[in-house]
Amino acid sequence: MGRADGSDRQVTVGPVDDTGANILHVDMDAFYASVEVLDRPELAGKPLIVGHASGRSVVSSASYEARRFGVRSAMPVAQALRLCPDAITVDPRMDRYAELSRQVMQIFRRATPLVEPVSIDEAFLDVSGARKLLGRPAHIAAQLREWVRHETGLPASVGVAGTKFVAKLASGRAKPDGLLVVPVAETLAFLHPLPVGALWGVGPSTQTALANLGLRTVADLAQAPIELLEKRLGVGGRRLWQLANGIDVREVETTRIEKSIGHEETFEFDVTDRAVLRRELLRLASRAAERLRAASVAGRTVSLKLRYSDFRTISRSRTLPEPTSVGRRIFEEVSGLLDEAWQDRAPVRLIGVRVEQLEQDAGQPALWDPDGDWRETERAVDGIAAKFGAGVLGPAALLGTKPRKVGESDHYRG
Protein backbone atom coordinates (compact mmCIF):
# COMPACT_ATOMS: atom_id res chain seq x y z
CA MET A 1 0.00 0.00 0.00
CA GLY A 2 1.27 3.48 -0.81
CA ARG A 3 0.48 6.73 0.93
CA ALA A 4 1.36 10.34 0.21
CA ASP A 5 0.70 13.08 2.75
CA GLY A 6 1.17 16.80 2.97
CA SER A 7 -1.08 19.81 2.82
CA ASP A 8 1.37 22.40 1.57
CA ARG A 9 4.02 20.01 0.31
CA GLN A 10 4.11 18.57 -3.20
CA VAL A 11 2.31 15.23 -3.23
CA THR A 12 4.23 12.39 -4.81
CA VAL A 13 3.13 8.82 -5.33
CA GLY A 14 5.72 6.11 -4.96
CA PRO A 15 6.10 2.93 -7.00
CA VAL A 16 2.90 1.24 -5.89
CA ASP A 17 0.94 -1.24 -7.98
CA ASP A 18 -2.37 0.42 -8.80
CA THR A 19 -3.30 -1.98 -11.60
CA GLY A 20 -7.06 -2.43 -11.60
CA ALA A 21 -7.50 0.10 -8.79
CA ASN A 22 -9.79 2.29 -10.89
CA ILE A 23 -12.16 3.48 -8.17
CA LEU A 24 -11.40 6.70 -6.29
CA HIS A 25 -13.21 7.98 -3.22
CA VAL A 26 -12.56 11.68 -2.66
CA ASP A 27 -13.53 13.13 0.72
CA MET A 28 -13.14 16.81 1.51
CA ASP A 29 -11.44 17.11 4.91
CA ALA A 30 -13.60 18.65 7.66
CA PHE A 31 -15.40 20.38 4.79
CA TYR A 32 -17.50 23.00 6.57
CA ALA A 33 -14.68 23.89 8.96
CA SER A 34 -12.18 24.05 6.08
CA VAL A 35 -14.46 26.46 4.19
CA GLU A 36 -14.67 28.72 7.23
CA VAL A 37 -10.87 28.77 7.51
CA LEU A 38 -10.62 29.47 3.78
CA ASP A 39 -12.85 32.52 4.12
CA ARG A 40 -11.38 33.61 7.46
CA PRO A 41 -7.66 32.77 7.45
CA GLU A 42 -7.29 34.06 11.01
CA LEU A 43 -9.06 30.85 12.12
CA ALA A 44 -6.29 28.62 10.75
CA GLY A 45 -4.65 26.41 13.35
CA LYS A 46 -7.34 27.11 15.96
CA PRO A 47 -9.97 24.71 17.36
CA LEU A 48 -13.10 25.49 15.35
CA ILE A 49 -16.67 24.24 15.70
CA VAL A 50 -19.25 24.83 12.98
CA GLY A 51 -22.62 24.96 14.74
CA HIS A 52 -24.87 27.44 16.46
CA ALA A 53 -23.72 28.46 19.94
CA SER A 54 -26.76 27.07 21.69
CA GLY A 55 -27.32 24.27 24.14
CA ARG A 56 -29.53 22.43 21.65
CA SER A 57 -27.33 22.81 18.61
CA VAL A 58 -25.16 19.99 17.31
CA VAL A 59 -21.72 20.13 15.73
CA SER A 60 -21.96 20.24 11.93
CA SER A 61 -18.19 20.05 11.50
CA ALA A 62 -15.05 20.53 13.55
CA SER A 63 -11.47 21.34 12.65
CA TYR A 64 -8.81 18.76 13.39
CA GLU A 65 -7.52 21.03 16.16
CA ALA A 66 -10.91 20.63 17.88
CA ARG A 67 -11.09 16.91 17.13
CA ARG A 68 -7.95 16.34 19.17
CA PHE A 69 -10.06 17.18 22.22
CA GLY A 70 -12.70 14.59 21.29
CA VAL A 71 -15.07 16.92 19.44
CA ARG A 72 -17.05 15.07 16.75
CA SER A 73 -19.80 15.85 14.25
CA ALA A 74 -23.40 15.42 15.53
CA MET A 75 -22.22 15.97 19.12
CA PRO A 76 -24.18 18.61 21.08
CA VAL A 77 -22.32 21.91 20.90
CA ALA A 78 -22.58 22.28 24.68
CA GLN A 79 -20.74 18.98 25.14
CA ALA A 80 -18.16 19.95 22.52
CA LEU A 81 -17.44 23.21 24.34
CA ARG A 82 -16.97 21.33 27.59
CA LEU A 83 -14.38 19.15 25.88
CA CYS A 84 -12.72 22.10 24.18
CA PRO A 85 -13.56 25.34 26.06
CA ASP A 86 -11.28 27.46 23.85
CA ALA A 87 -12.98 26.42 20.63
CA ILE A 88 -14.32 29.12 18.33
CA THR A 89 -17.93 28.56 17.27
CA VAL A 90 -19.23 29.80 13.90
CA ASP A 91 -22.70 29.50 12.39
CA PRO A 92 -23.10 27.14 9.40
CA ARG A 93 -23.38 28.77 5.95
CA MET A 94 -25.02 26.10 3.81
CA ASP A 95 -25.23 28.22 0.67
CA ARG A 96 -21.47 28.82 0.74
CA TYR A 97 -20.75 25.12 1.30
CA ALA A 98 -23.07 24.18 -1.58
CA GLU A 99 -21.33 26.69 -3.85
CA LEU A 100 -17.89 25.19 -3.20
CA SER A 101 -19.28 21.67 -3.42
CA ARG A 102 -20.50 22.37 -6.96
CA GLN A 103 -17.07 23.70 -7.88
CA VAL A 104 -15.33 20.63 -6.47
CA MET A 105 -17.67 18.24 -8.30
CA GLN A 106 -16.93 20.05 -11.57
CA ILE A 107 -13.22 19.52 -10.95
CA PHE A 108 -13.88 15.80 -10.48
CA ARG A 109 -15.75 15.69 -13.80
CA ARG A 110 -12.72 17.17 -15.51
CA ALA A 111 -10.95 13.88 -14.84
CA THR A 112 -13.86 11.56 -15.68
CA PRO A 113 -17.57 11.80 -16.45
CA LEU A 114 -18.11 8.81 -14.13
CA VAL A 115 -18.65 10.74 -10.90
CA GLU A 116 -21.13 9.68 -8.20
CA PRO A 117 -21.64 12.37 -5.56
CA VAL A 118 -22.39 10.69 -2.24
CA SER A 119 -22.96 13.86 -0.23
CA ILE A 120 -22.04 17.52 -0.33
CA ASP A 121 -18.37 16.74 0.39
CA GLU A 122 -17.56 13.33 -1.07
CA ALA A 123 -17.81 11.37 -4.30
CA PHE A 124 -16.80 8.16 -6.03
CA LEU A 125 -14.99 8.33 -9.37
CA ASP A 126 -14.32 5.59 -11.92
CA VAL A 127 -11.11 6.58 -13.75
CA SER A 128 -10.73 3.43 -15.87
CA GLY A 129 -11.40 5.46 -19.02
CA ALA A 130 -9.08 8.32 -18.10
CA ARG A 131 -5.79 6.42 -18.02
CA LYS A 132 -4.69 7.26 -21.57
CA LEU A 133 -5.20 10.96 -21.03
CA LEU A 134 -4.23 11.42 -17.38
CA GLY A 135 -2.14 8.38 -16.47
CA ARG A 136 -2.50 5.67 -13.85
CA PRO A 137 -5.09 5.93 -11.05
CA ALA A 138 -2.61 6.97 -8.34
CA HIS A 139 -1.39 9.82 -10.52
CA ILE A 140 -4.98 10.90 -11.29
CA ALA A 141 -5.74 10.93 -7.56
CA ALA A 142 -2.71 13.11 -6.86
CA GLN A 143 -3.66 15.41 -9.74
CA LEU A 144 -7.22 15.80 -8.42
CA ARG A 145 -5.94 16.80 -4.99
CA GLU A 146 -3.65 19.36 -6.60
CA TRP A 147 -6.46 20.79 -8.75
CA VAL A 148 -8.82 21.06 -5.78
CA ARG A 149 -6.20 22.70 -3.59
CA HIS A 150 -5.09 25.15 -6.30
CA GLU A 151 -8.57 26.16 -7.49
CA THR A 152 -10.52 26.17 -4.22
CA GLY A 153 -7.88 26.33 -1.49
CA LEU A 154 -9.45 23.29 0.19
CA PRO A 155 -7.81 20.01 1.26
CA ALA A 156 -9.05 16.62 0.11
CA SER A 157 -8.19 13.03 0.94
CA VAL A 158 -8.38 10.30 -1.68
CA GLY A 159 -8.60 6.53 -1.45
CA VAL A 160 -7.70 4.46 -4.52
CA ALA A 161 -8.81 0.81 -4.75
CA GLY A 162 -10.51 -1.80 -6.87
CA THR A 163 -13.94 -1.38 -5.21
CA LYS A 164 -16.06 1.42 -3.79
CA PHE A 165 -16.07 -0.01 -0.29
CA VAL A 166 -12.30 -0.33 -0.04
CA ALA A 167 -11.73 3.07 -1.68
CA LYS A 168 -13.93 4.71 0.97
CA LEU A 169 -12.06 2.96 3.77
CA ALA A 170 -8.77 4.06 2.20
CA SER A 171 -9.76 7.73 2.04
CA GLY A 172 -10.66 7.58 5.72
CA ARG A 173 -7.27 6.10 6.53
CA ALA A 174 -5.59 8.79 4.40
CA LYS A 175 -7.04 11.68 6.41
CA PRO A 176 -6.21 14.39 6.90
CA ASP A 177 -5.16 15.68 3.50
CA GLY A 178 -3.62 12.45 2.23
CA LEU A 179 -3.73 9.80 -0.46
CA LEU A 180 -3.78 6.03 0.07
CA VAL A 181 -3.62 3.40 -2.65
CA VAL A 182 -4.75 -0.13 -1.82
CA PRO A 183 -3.45 -2.47 -4.56
CA VAL A 184 -6.05 -4.98 -5.68
CA ALA A 185 -3.74 -7.85 -4.74
CA GLU A 186 -3.47 -6.47 -1.18
CA THR A 187 -7.19 -5.89 -0.61
CA LEU A 188 -7.62 -8.69 1.92
CA ALA A 189 -4.39 -7.79 3.70
CA PHE A 190 -5.82 -4.29 4.12
CA LEU A 191 -9.28 -5.41 5.22
CA HIS A 192 -8.73 -8.38 7.49
CA PRO A 193 -6.98 -6.72 10.45
CA LEU A 194 -9.80 -4.15 10.78
CA PRO A 195 -12.55 -4.46 13.41
CA VAL A 196 -15.93 -5.62 12.12
CA GLY A 197 -17.28 -2.15 12.93
CA ALA A 198 -15.36 -0.85 9.90
CA LEU A 199 -17.80 -2.62 7.56
CA TRP A 200 -20.78 -0.79 6.08
CA GLY A 201 -23.96 -1.70 7.90
CA VAL A 202 -22.34 -2.82 11.14
CA GLY A 203 -23.79 -0.68 13.90
CA PRO A 204 -23.58 -1.29 17.64
CA SER A 205 -26.30 -3.97 17.70
CA THR A 206 -24.83 -5.90 14.77
CA GLN A 207 -21.36 -5.58 16.26
CA THR A 208 -22.66 -7.07 19.53
CA ALA A 209 -24.34 -9.93 17.65
CA LEU A 210 -21.10 -10.68 15.81
CA ALA A 211 -19.05 -10.48 19.02
CA ASN A 212 -21.43 -13.05 20.57
CA LEU A 213 -20.38 -15.34 17.73
CA GLY A 214 -16.73 -14.67 18.47
CA LEU A 215 -16.34 -12.51 15.33
CA ARG A 216 -14.41 -9.35 16.16
CA THR A 217 -12.25 -8.69 13.12
CA VAL A 218 -13.01 -8.60 9.41
CA ALA A 219 -10.83 -11.72 9.07
CA ASP A 220 -13.06 -13.54 11.59
CA LEU A 221 -16.12 -12.57 9.59
CA ALA A 222 -14.55 -13.56 6.27
CA GLN A 223 -13.82 -17.05 7.57
CA ALA A 224 -17.23 -17.60 9.19
CA PRO A 225 -19.74 -19.95 7.51
CA ILE A 226 -22.03 -17.85 5.39
CA GLU A 227 -25.01 -19.98 6.45
CA LEU A 228 -24.40 -19.03 10.09
CA LEU A 229 -24.28 -15.32 9.21
CA GLU A 230 -27.50 -15.52 7.21
CA LYS A 231 -29.21 -17.37 10.06
CA ARG A 232 -28.20 -14.75 12.63
CA LEU A 233 -28.33 -11.59 10.49
CA GLY A 234 -30.71 -12.40 7.65
CA VAL A 235 -29.95 -11.27 4.11
CA GLY A 236 -27.46 -8.74 5.51
CA GLY A 237 -25.25 -11.59 6.65
CA ARG A 238 -24.32 -12.55 3.09
CA ARG A 239 -23.60 -8.93 2.23
CA LEU A 240 -21.25 -8.54 5.19
CA TRP A 241 -19.49 -11.79 4.29
CA GLN A 242 -18.94 -10.48 0.75
CA LEU A 243 -17.51 -7.17 1.98
CA ALA A 244 -15.23 -9.01 4.42
CA ASN A 245 -13.89 -10.98 1.47
CA GLY A 246 -13.35 -7.90 -0.66
CA ILE A 247 -16.38 -8.54 -2.89
CA ASP A 248 -18.19 -5.36 -3.93
CA VAL A 249 -19.61 -5.36 -7.45
CA ARG A 250 -21.31 -1.97 -7.25
CA GLU A 251 -20.39 0.39 -10.04
CA VAL A 252 -20.06 4.17 -9.92
CA GLU A 253 -23.57 5.48 -10.66
CA THR A 254 -23.64 8.79 -12.46
CA THR A 255 -27.45 8.89 -12.46
CA ARG A 256 -27.83 7.97 -8.80
CA ILE A 257 -31.07 9.30 -7.32
CA GLU A 258 -31.31 9.98 -3.62
CA LYS A 259 -33.99 7.97 -1.85
CA SER A 260 -35.20 11.01 0.05
CA ILE A 261 -34.48 14.68 0.63
CA GLY A 262 -35.46 16.58 3.72
CA HIS A 263 -34.77 19.32 6.22
CA GLU A 264 -35.41 19.57 9.93
CA GLU A 265 -35.11 22.32 12.51
CA THR A 266 -34.46 22.25 16.25
CA PHE A 267 -35.95 25.23 18.06
CA GLU A 268 -33.99 26.94 20.79
CA PHE A 269 -37.22 27.22 22.78
CA ASP A 270 -40.10 24.74 22.67
CA VAL A 271 -42.95 25.89 20.41
CA THR A 272 -46.67 25.57 21.12
CA ASP A 273 -47.93 28.11 18.55
CA ARG A 274 -49.43 26.40 15.50
CA ALA A 275 -48.84 29.47 13.30
CA VAL A 276 -45.12 29.34 14.10
CA LEU A 277 -44.96 25.63 13.24
CA ARG A 278 -46.78 26.21 9.95
CA ARG A 279 -44.36 29.00 9.01
CA GLU A 280 -41.46 26.69 9.71
CA LEU A 281 -43.05 23.92 7.67
CA LEU A 282 -43.43 26.34 4.76
CA ARG A 283 -39.74 27.26 4.94
CA LEU A 284 -38.59 23.63 5.20
CA ALA A 285 -40.92 22.51 2.40
CA SER A 286 -39.62 25.32 0.17
CA ARG A 287 -36.01 24.32 0.83
CA ALA A 288 -36.73 20.66 0.11
CA ALA A 289 -38.53 21.57 -3.12
CA GLU A 290 -35.60 23.73 -4.26
CA ARG A 291 -33.28 20.78 -3.87
CA LEU A 292 -35.68 18.46 -5.66
CA ARG A 293 -35.87 20.79 -8.65
CA ALA A 294 -32.10 21.32 -8.64
CA ALA A 295 -31.65 17.54 -8.87
CA SER A 296 -34.44 17.22 -11.50
CA VAL A 297 -36.36 14.79 -9.31
CA ALA A 298 -39.82 14.70 -7.77
CA GLY A 299 -41.19 12.80 -4.78
CA ARG A 300 -44.35 10.82 -4.32
CA THR A 301 -44.40 10.61 -0.49
CA VAL A 302 -44.12 13.51 1.97
CA SER A 303 -43.35 12.99 5.65
CA LEU A 304 -43.65 15.08 8.79
CA LYS A 305 -41.41 14.59 11.83
CA LEU A 306 -42.18 16.02 15.27
CA ARG A 307 -40.03 15.72 18.37
CA TYR A 308 -41.58 16.92 21.60
CA SER A 309 -39.93 18.50 24.62
CA ASP A 310 -39.78 15.11 26.35
CA PHE A 311 -37.98 13.69 23.27
CA ARG A 312 -40.94 11.62 22.11
CA THR A 313 -40.67 11.52 18.32
CA ILE A 314 -43.44 10.77 15.83
CA SER A 315 -43.51 10.59 12.04
CA ARG A 316 -46.46 10.76 9.70
CA SER A 317 -46.47 10.39 5.91
CA ARG A 318 -48.82 10.74 2.98
CA THR A 319 -48.46 9.37 -0.56
CA LEU A 320 -49.55 11.65 -3.39
CA PRO A 321 -51.36 10.65 -6.60
CA GLU A 322 -48.52 12.20 -8.63
CA PRO A 323 -44.89 12.94 -7.68
CA THR A 324 -44.17 16.61 -6.97
CA SER A 325 -41.33 19.08 -6.61
CA VAL A 326 -43.66 21.99 -5.80
CA GLY A 327 -42.91 23.52 -2.42
CA ARG A 328 -46.46 24.73 -1.88
CA ARG A 329 -47.88 21.23 -2.50
CA ILE A 330 -45.37 19.71 -0.06
CA PHE A 331 -46.30 22.36 2.51
CA GLU A 332 -50.04 21.77 2.14
CA GLU A 333 -49.59 18.04 2.66
CA VAL A 334 -47.31 18.26 5.72
CA SER A 335 -49.50 20.99 7.16
CA GLY A 336 -52.42 18.57 6.96
CA LEU A 337 -50.29 15.92 8.66
CA LEU A 338 -49.53 18.42 11.42
CA ASP A 339 -53.26 18.95 12.01
CA GLU A 340 -53.73 15.18 12.28
CA ALA A 341 -50.70 14.38 14.42
CA TRP A 342 -50.43 17.35 16.77
CA GLN A 343 -53.63 16.73 18.68
CA ASP A 344 -52.38 17.25 22.23
CA ARG A 345 -50.57 20.51 21.37
CA ALA A 346 -47.52 19.26 23.27
CA PRO A 347 -44.47 21.58 23.14
CA VAL A 348 -42.44 20.90 19.99
CA ARG A 349 -38.66 20.78 20.15
CA LEU A 350 -37.92 19.77 16.53
CA ILE A 351 -39.89 19.74 13.30
CA GLY A 352 -38.90 18.18 9.98
CA VAL A 353 -40.09 17.68 6.40
CA ARG A 354 -38.98 14.86 4.13
CA VAL A 355 -39.86 13.92 0.55
CA GLU A 356 -39.45 10.25 -0.37
CA GLN A 357 -39.95 7.81 -3.24
CA LEU A 358 -37.95 10.04 -5.55
CA GLU A 359 -37.88 9.62 -9.31
CA GLN A 360 -36.70 11.59 -12.30
CA ASP A 361 -38.96 14.59 -12.88
CA ALA A 362 -40.56 14.14 -16.30
CA GLY A 363 -41.02 17.90 -16.55
CA GLN A 364 -44.46 17.44 -18.06
CA PRO A 365 -47.28 17.81 -15.49
CA ALA A 366 -50.59 16.04 -15.93
CA LEU A 367 -53.10 17.49 -18.39
CA TRP A 368 -54.91 19.03 -15.44
CA ASP A 369 -52.32 20.46 -13.09
CA PRO A 370 -53.81 21.88 -9.85
CA ASP A 371 -50.37 23.17 -8.87
CA GLY A 372 -49.65 24.86 -12.19
CA ASP A 373 -49.57 28.43 -10.89
CA TRP A 374 -47.34 27.54 -7.94
CA ARG A 375 -45.11 25.44 -10.20
CA GLU A 376 -44.48 28.34 -12.57
CA THR A 377 -43.95 30.79 -9.71
CA GLU A 378 -41.37 28.56 -8.04
CA ARG A 379 -39.53 27.96 -11.30
CA ALA A 380 -39.36 31.72 -11.79
CA VAL A 381 -37.90 32.09 -8.29
CA ASP A 382 -35.34 29.39 -9.15
CA GLY A 383 -34.26 31.45 -12.16
CA ILE A 384 -33.86 34.61 -10.08
CA ALA A 385 -31.91 32.68 -7.43
CA ALA A 386 -29.58 31.29 -10.09
CA LYS A 387 -28.85 34.82 -11.28
CA PHE A 388 -28.71 36.76 -8.02
CA GLY A 389 -28.10 34.10 -5.37
CA ALA A 390 -30.19 31.89 -3.12
CA GLY A 391 -32.45 33.56 -0.58
CA VAL A 392 -33.18 36.67 -2.64
CA LEU A 393 -36.87 35.72 -2.85
CA GLY A 394 -39.03 33.51 -0.69
CA PRO A 395 -42.62 32.95 0.42
CA ALA A 396 -44.19 36.12 1.81
CA ALA A 397 -45.41 34.21 4.86
CA LEU A 398 -41.81 33.86 5.97
CA LEU A 399 -41.41 37.61 6.43
CA GLY A 400 -43.01 37.39 9.87
CA THR A 401 -41.02 37.02 13.07
CA LYS A 402 -39.90 33.54 14.01
CA PRO A 403 -38.49 32.07 17.22
CA ARG A 404 -34.76 31.65 17.48
CA LYS A 405 -33.67 28.32 16.10
CA VAL A 406 -30.62 26.24 16.82
CA GLY A 407 -29.96 25.35 13.22
CA GLU A 408 -31.17 23.44 10.24
CA SER A 409 -30.04 19.97 9.26
CA ASP A 410 -29.94 18.81 5.65
CA HIS A 411 -30.75 15.17 4.95
CA TYR A 412 -29.95 13.03 1.94
CA ARG A 413 -30.58 9.31 1.87
CA GLY A 414 -29.07 7.25 -0.86
Side-chain angles (χ1 to χ4, degrees):
M1 279 164 276
R3 172 176 176 145
D5 289 307
S7 56
D8 297 320
R9 301 186 299 274
Q10 176 67 34
V11 173
T12 58
V13 179
V16 59
D17 181 11
D18 58 3
T19 304
N22 295 316
I23 305 300
L24 275 56
H25 181 259
V26 188
D27 198 345
M28 304 301 293
D29 297 320
F31 183 52
Y32 296 176
S34 295
V35 172
E36 297 302 330
V37 172
L38 176 70
D39 291 347
R40 295 175 57 188
E42 70 273 14
L43 297 175
K46 298 177 181 178
L48 177 65
I49 294 172
V50 179
H52 298 277
S54 165
R56 288 187 174 180
S57 181
V58 296
V59 176
S60 296
S61 180
S63 68
Y64 286 97
E65 291 81 6
R67 295 184 188 195
R68 295 191 187 106
F69 291 86
V71 177
R72 295 291 182 268
S73 295
M75 172 184 290
V77 169
Q79 180 184 352
L81 290 173
R82 286 195 296 270
L83 292 172
C84 186
D86 295 329
I88 300 168
T89 304
V90 299
D91 289 347
R93 298 181 297 149
M94 297 308 301
D95 289 343
R96 175 61 170 152
Y97 308 147
E99 174 190 355
L100 281 167
S101 174
R102 288 191 292 270
Q103 186 177 352
V104 167
M105 296 299 168
Q106 285 301 112
I107 293 173
F108 296 165
R109 292 185 178 94
R110 190 185 309 162
T112 173
L114 302 179
V115 176
E116 178 185 336
V118 181
S119 67
I120 195 171
D121 61 350
E122 61 177 313
F124 287 107
L125 289 74
D126 183 338
V127 298
S128 56
R131 297 180 65 119
K132 284 187 177 181
L133 182 63
L134 298 176
R136 56 196 180 93
H139 178 77
I140 295 173
Q143 184 69 69
L144 279 170
R145 294 181 69 244
E146 184 178 326
W147 286 343
V148 171
R149 171 72 76 169
H150 176 71
E151 297 179 31
T152 70
L154 296 170
S157 294
V158 185
V160 183
T163 66
K164 293 170 76 172
F165 171 57
V166 177
K168 182 172 176 63
L169 284 179
S171 69
R173 291 280 293 273
K175 286 179 173 291
D177 197 19
L179 190 165
L180 178 63
V181 179
V182 180
V184 173
E186 297 182 30
T187 296
L188 296 185
F190 172 74
L191 286 175
H192 283 183
L194 300 176
V196 291
L199 296 178
W200 274 335
V202 178
S205 60
T206 303
Q207 195 163 352
T208 299
L210 292 173
N212 290 338
L213 296 173
L215 309 177
R216 291 178 171 79
T217 68
V218 174
D220 295 336
L221 186 59
Q223 295 161 12
I226 193 169
E227 296 81 7
L228 173 64
L229 297 174
E230 288 183 320
K231 181 178 180 180
R232 295 298 180 91
L233 303 175
V235 292
R238 176 176 291 273
R239 178 62 178 151
L240 291 179
W241 183 89
Q242 291 174 330
L243 292 177
N245 283 282
I247 302 170
D248 181 9
V249 298
R250 296 170 307 148
E251 298 179 350
V252 172
E253 301 176 19
T254 57
T255 57
R256 178 175 181 265
I257 299 178
E258 302 293 340
K259 292 181 180 177
S260 68
I261 286 177
H263 290 265
E264 60 186 38
E265 191 76 66
T266 300
F267 298 106
E268 185 168 359
F269 305 106
D270 296 335
V271 175
T272 57
D273 187 334
R274 182 177 180 276
V276 172
L277 294 178
R278 280 177 53 86
R279 267 204 308 271
E280 194 56 37
L281 285 177
L282 178 57
R283 191 178 73 86
L284 297 176
S286 298
R287 287 292 306 277
E290 288 171 13
R291 286 168 53 194
L292 290 169
R293 294 191 297 273
S296 298
V297 295
R300 190 176 291 273
T301 298
V302 297
S303 299
L304 168 74
K305 176 179 177 180
L306 291 177
R307 178 169 295 152
Y308 298 116
S309 58
D310 60 2
F311 284 88
R312 286 184 298 122
T313 303
I314 65 169
S315 296
R316 298 289 186 271
S317 64
R318 181 176 293 173
T319 299
L320 310 180
E322 298 290 337
T324 188
S325 61
V326 177
R328 188 71 190 194
R329 168 56 51 205
I330 296 168
F331 164 70
E332 295 290 349
E333 299 297 335
V334 292
S335 184
L337 291 171
L338 177 67
D339 291 339
E340 297 171 8
W342 195 47
Q343 296 293 337
D344 56 1
R345 297 297 191 266
V348 175
R349 173 189 178 92
L350 174 148
I351 194 166
V353 172
R354 181 175 298 283
V355 185
E356 302 169 319
Q357 287 189 276
L358 305 189
E359 57 189 69
Q360 289 289 346
D361 192 347
Q364 294 293 329
L367 183 61
W368 179 73
D369 182 14
D371 298 328
D373 290 343
W374 283 110
R375 189 186 310 277
E376 293 305 315
T377 299
E378 292 180 13
R379 285 176 177 171
V381 171
D382 290 343
I384 294 171
K387 185 174 182 180
F388 297 104
V392 174
L393 291 178
L398 298 182
L399 296 176
T401 58
K402 296 181 291 183
R404 291 183 62 194
K405 299 185 292 293
V406 167
E408 184 175 326
S409 298
D410 298 339
H411 293 272
Y412 299 80
R413 287 183 183 170

